Amino acid sequence: MASTLVMPSLALPIEILEQLLDHYGDMLVYNHNPTLPDNRLQYYEILKSRALTCKALLPRSRYNLYRSVILENRHKHFIETLKGSPHLARYIRVLHIVSYKLSKPPSIFFCLAGRLPHIHALEIAVAEDIFLHKHLHMALSSFSTITMLTLCIRIGVPEIQRLLHTLYNLRYLELLVPPIVPADSSAYQKTCHAPRCRLTSFVTTLRMVTQPAIPDIGIHRRIMDPHPGWLPLYYSFLQTPELFSSLKRFYIEIMSWAGETERNAEVSSLLFSAAHSSLEEAFIYFHEPENTGLTRLVSLHDNTNLRRLGLFLDNAFDEEVVGLVPLLLTISSSILREIVLFGWDGFKRVQSSTWALLDEALCDSRFDALTSIQVIEDVEDQNPLPAVERLPRCASRGLISSSYISSAVGSFNHKWITWAPEYQRMLFEDR
């Protein structure tokens, strides 16, 4: 039986008790998976009890109860609550709409229009076949305070363009499914909506979740079949390079499939180039079912302020790891401090001669500022040769650490802002 959480006595100073309430509120924010309600119920009960029994703690309890709201099936009840108690809306910072039984979801946004003046983050995950995506940008037009948007729905490239034009405060955009491929690509190019927002983080396909084995990084595998829908979106971004001019974090999955490998890598490299010197973090997931030379086709030569680089290999072929050497030699940043090398399928196929080439490349003078090289692989395929022996020259500089995780763990538990502490401050700085 799970242990019951107990709120300390009011004999403690009010400031300490408020900090404890904030802690329970954080647990609600970072444990928002609706399929695991028990993880949230105990925190709700504590906050509700203090809101009902202690007048001094009522404002702080309300803040933590309402700052992150999940709407699964009780949308009408939530709207009625806001109508009856409009003062509660000022506490809401994060809204998750995750119902797969919902019909005509945009009507919810129209009902909420003007009622959530301080909302900063929005996640939408509804059944794609019932979502009226052509009305999404209109439905969200009144949510001008949104700075973070996560979409787990299929919408077209023109709709994404309109969102970037409508949500002018948007800084973080996460797309978890590929866009709908337009029937006529020239049609949406002619009606391209210039973005008014200045993104600082752009994430595609990847799910972020903190794991003890991978502190502060935490990527879970979320394999999707190669899909051509990303390329039209990327091309539309390249038509408006100012969209990426302020980008600091770029998490992208680069896919390989027949006839498209080189074009996909070229477009991805152009996106990195568009970010230019503003880019500080680049996490690249190489989706490569079999070796096609994908890794050696990507370039980072324009990103002079890159500080953190993640290289995730779906299948760690010997040739694929060798291909990381020319990629590393395109890096122009002299302040790169952290590299993460992740092999989902382990590195058991990689020869010692390949590790020697990688070891030598990482000892180039351009990497003098490195403080950490993490080698992470599947727990079920632990390599008998430790990472410090695979990269001995880097190990002699005290850079190497290694860990193992299980790729069998489900990837849908998505703590969508824990990897970016500055966004936690942005969302909740007005406590």
Side-chain angles (χ1 to χ4, degrees):
M1 180 179 294
S3 60
T4 303
L5 296 175
V6 179
M7 187 71 180
S9 168
L10 281 176
L12 291 173
I14 189 71
E15 294 82 3
I16 301 297
L17 292 172
E18 287 185 339
Q19 288 183 18
L20 288 169
L21 292 175
D22 290 344
H23 168 72
Y24 298 135
D26 288 343
M27 295 300 101
L28 292 179
V29 172
Y30 304 137
N31 290 276
H32 74 267
N33 187 352
T35 64
L36 301 172
D38 291 342
N39 286 356
R40 299 172 54 85
L41 183 58
Q42 54 185 340
Y43 303 116
Y44 268 125
E45 291 304 318
I46 290 176
L47 292 170
K48 285 181 180 178
S49 66
R50 286 304 172 186
L52 294 172
T53 61
C54 180
K55 185 176 181 180
L57 294 177
L58 176 60
R60 203 62 158 203
S61 298
R62 278 179 173 171
Y63 168 81
N64 285 292
L65 278 169
Y66 287 97
R67 62 173 167 147
S68 177
V69 174
I70 298 174
L71 294 185
E72 187 177 8
N73 293 314
R74 304 183 66 187
H75 305 86
K76 293 182 179 179
H77 176 77
F78 176 69
I79 292 172
E80 290 300 319
T81 298
L82 289 184
K83 288 180 179 179
S85 305
H87 61 282
L88 297 177
R90 65 188 178 94
Y91 297 111
I92 299 174
R93 300 293 183 272
V94 183
L95 179 63
H96 307 276
I97 298 180
V98 293
S99 176
Y100 289 88
K101 302 177 181 178
L102 187 63
S103 61
K104 299 181 180 180
S107 62
I108 295 174
F109 299 119
F110 288 122
C111 290
L112 293 176
R115 299 184 185 276
L116 302 176
H118 303 297
I119 185 172
H120 291 311
L122 177 64
E123 178 184 28
I124 305 175
V126 297
E128 61 188 59
D129 57 334
I130 60 173
F131 197 89
L132 304 178
H133 52 75
K134 65 181 180 179
H135 299 309
L136 180 60
H137 72 285
M138 292 188 297
L140 295 180
S141 61
S142 66
F143 293 79
S144 59
T145 57
I146 288 179
T147 56
M148 304 180 68
L149 179 64
T150 296
L151 295 179
C152 190
I153 54 174
R154 292 290 306 280
I155 62 175
V157 174
E159 285 68 47
I160 295 175
Q161 291 176 336
R162 292 190 186 102
L163 284 174
L164 294 173
H165 178 79
T166 302
L167 303 176
Y168 52 86
N169 280 318
L170 195 65
R171 297 295 178 266
Y172 174 106
L173 175 62
E174 183 174 3
L175 303 176
L176 297 177
V177 293
I180 298 172
V181 180
D184 181 8
S185 60
S186 61
Y188 77 81
Q189 291 177 1
K190 292 178 182 178
T191 59
C192 181
H193 293 73
R196 291 195 296 166
C197 63
R198 294 176 61 85
L199 290 181
T200 58
S201 297
F202 180 59
V203 181
T204 64
T205 302
L206 298 177
R207 284 283 189 174
M208 312 301 160
V209 57
T210 301
Q211 289 290 317
I214 334 174
D216 302 325
I217 297 172
I219 302 286
H220 260 173
R221 176 155 67 173
R222 188 175 184 270
I223 298 296
M224 298 185 69
D225 293 331
H227 195 286
W230 295 113
L231 282 178
L233 177 65
Y234 295 162
Y235 277 127
S236 73
F237 286 168
L238 291 174
Q239 293 176 20
T240 53
E242 65 272 16
L243 176 65
F244 275 20
S245 63
S246 58
L247 198 70
K248 293 184 178 181
R249 293 157 210 88
F250 190 12
Y251 287 46
I252 186 173
E253 180 177 16
I254 304 179
M255 294 171 283
S256 171
W257 69 94
E260 297 290 346
T261 299
E262 291 189 8
R263 186 161 71 116
N264 203 344
E266 178 185 6
V267 171
S268 300
S269 296
L270 289 173
L271 290 176
F272 284 116
S273 182
H276 200 55
S277 60
S278 66
L279 193 67
E280 297 178 2
E281 292 187 8
F283 278 42
I284 311 172
Y285 191 125
F286 292 98
H287 182 107
E288 195 169 14
E290 58 185 40
N291 180 50
T292 58
L294 180 62
T295 50
R296 66 176 67 246
L297 298 175
V298 176
S299 172
L300 297 167
H301 66 273
D302 286 329
N303 309 116
T304 54
N305 284 319
L306 193 64
R307 291 170 170 80
R308 195 180 192 199
L309 175 63
L311 301 170
F312 299 84
L313 308 180
D314 183 34
N315 288 293
F317 300 98
D318 196 66
E319 296 85 353
E320 191 178 18
V321 177
V322 169
L324 294 179
V325 174
L327 184 155
L328 290 170
L329 294 179
T330 67
I331 294 175
S332 56
S333 174
S334 60
I335 56 176
L336 186 66
R337 299 184 62 81
E338 182 180 1
I339 292 178
V340 181
L341 182 60
F342 203 141
W344 281 118
D345 199 28
F347 292 107
K348 56 184 179 295
R349 289 185 293 263
V350 180
Q351 304 297 315
S352 57
S353 58
T354 297
W355 287 113
L357 291 173
L358 192 61
D359 197 23
E360 181 180 0
L362 289 170
C363 288
D364 187 274
S365 59
R366 74 188 68 202
F367 300 121
D368 285 347
L370 271 178
T371 60
S372 173
I373 300 174
Q374 296 188 56
V375 180
I376 308 170
E377 52 194 309
D378 195 310
V379 71
E380 298 173 358
D381 296 303
Q382 293 187 25
N383 196 305
L385 190 64
V388 292
E389 295 184 24
R390 285 176 268 177
L391 300 168
R393 296 177 64 182
C394 293
S396 68
R397 297 166 56 193
L399 300 178
I400 301 298
S401 64
S402 60
S403 57
Y404 302 92
I405 68 163
S406 174
S407 62
V409 179
S411 63
F412 204 71
N413 296 334
H414 172 41
K415 298 180 182 180
W416 65 325
I417 56 178
T418 56
W419 64 277
E422 65 275 22
Y423 281 106
Q424 297 180 39
R425 293 193 296 271
M426 180 179 70
L427 286 175
F428 308 121
E429 62 186 3
D430 54 346
R431 282 179 175 173

